[in-house]
Amino acid sequence: MPVTLTWTGHATFLIDTGSGTILVDPFFDDCPTASMKAADVACDAILITHGHFDHVADAATIAKRTGAKVFAAFEIANWLGRQGVENLQPMNHGGTAAVPGGTATMEIAFHSSSLPDGSYGGNPAGWLLDVGGKRIYLAGDTGVFSDMARIGRPRDGRRLDLAILPIGDVFTMGPAGSLEAVELLQPAAVLPCHYDTWPPIAQDAAAWAASVRRAKLAEPHVLEPGGSLTLG
Ligand SMILES: [Zn+2]
């Protein structure tokens, strides 16, 4: 079954699994590069990597409007609950939950995770999705870590179809770190995010793609905000 991912800018993705749409890290209305507004988003589930505003800003309003279930760290789920979100799945590292089209496992990430009101957001996370017959890893905001070799290890003879990695540097791994991550994860394809939203995380994505190609590590896909990639 084809799975189509749309990057709406920054670290926000809409993933059409063929059995429903998963929204990751909703950040639309205050995102300078967002390709759409929060009010126009349709989704059946919402996954959150961590509590920073550029990953949760529109989570409560979209969750309440659509009724989509939100999968997030326990502390972030509580924060959303205090804002009136009712359909919640609190989780923590190592846990797997059913999402439209398959499953989502909460993986580790090395970052921080305070919520916009300053409250504790629990541990930051990445997501390993097995949806529509495809294995997709979203690293979230993180530096490189050696457990990426475990996350990318083939299961049932299947390696990662796609890894989605930050390349903006400063707050996350940069282009060089992402090459190291690709080496550990060994995905078939890799897609960059968390860059060019603001000047401190400006990057040359075409140069990044060329370096991935030169290293013969994976097929790089660079999108413009609003652009899509279909995994056939
Ligand atoms: Zn971020």
Side-chain angles (χ1 to χ4, degrees):
M1 194 183 297
V3 171
T4 300
L5 293 92
T6 301
W7 183 48
T8 65
H10 198 54
T12 306
F13 289 87
L14 283 161
I15 304 172
D16 179 354
T17 68
S19 313
T21 297
I22 299 170
L23 168 64
V24 183
D25 283 0
F27 181 44
F28 295 97
D29 294 353
D30 290 329
C31 175
T33 58
S35 64
M36 62 193 295
K37 292 288 179 195
D40 299 322
V41 175
C43 62
D44 304 290
I46 301 173
L47 304 186
I48 308 276
T49 62
H50 65 290
H52 292 160
F53 77 100
D54 56 321
H55 299 260
V56 300
D58 297 302
T61 49
I62 294 172
K64 285 191 276 192
R65 177 175 56 77
T66 61
K69 186 185 253 190
V70 186
F71 301 77
F74 183 83
E75 294 81 358
I76 295 172
N78 284 344
W79 175 77
L80 290 167
R82 291 198 293 275
Q83 296 172 72
V85 178
E86 291 176 355
N87 199 4
L88 290 162
Q89 177 59 68
M91 294 180 67
N92 219 321
H93 293 154
T96 298
V99 294
T103 60
T105 300
M106 186 177 269
E107 296 287 351
I108 58 172
F110 286 87
H111 196 61
S112 53
S113 183
S114 48
L115 287 155
D117 64 2
S119 61
Y120 174 57
N123 285 311
W127 289 103
L128 180 58
L129 306 184
D130 202 328
V131 291
K134 303 291 180 294
R135 297 186 65 225
I136 301 166
Y137 169 59
L138 296 108
D141 284 13
T142 186
V144 182
F145 52 89
S146 56
D147 258 31
M148 285 180 169
R150 173 188 61 77
I151 292 169
R153 196 160 57 207
R155 284 163 218 194
D156 304 324
R158 292 163 52 220
R159 64 171 170 161
L160 291 177
D161 295 285
L162 177 69
I164 299 175
L165 302 174
I167 65 162
D169 216 328
V170 185
F171 304 106
T172 65
M173 67 177 91
S178 75
L179 285 190
E180 204 181 326
V182 170
E183 217 172 305
L184 291 162
L185 292 161
Q186 300 194 9
V190 59
L191 185 67
C193 69
H194 214 276
Y195 68 96
D196 280 0
T197 320
W198 301 283
I201 56 171
Q203 293 294 343
D204 183 342
W208 168 85
S211 64
V212 175
R213 276 205 190 89
R214 258 196 316 276
K216 296 188 177 21
L217 293 169
E219 181 61 29
H221 294 277
V222 173
L223 300 175
E224 291 296 319
S228 295
L229 169 68
T230 297
L231 303 171

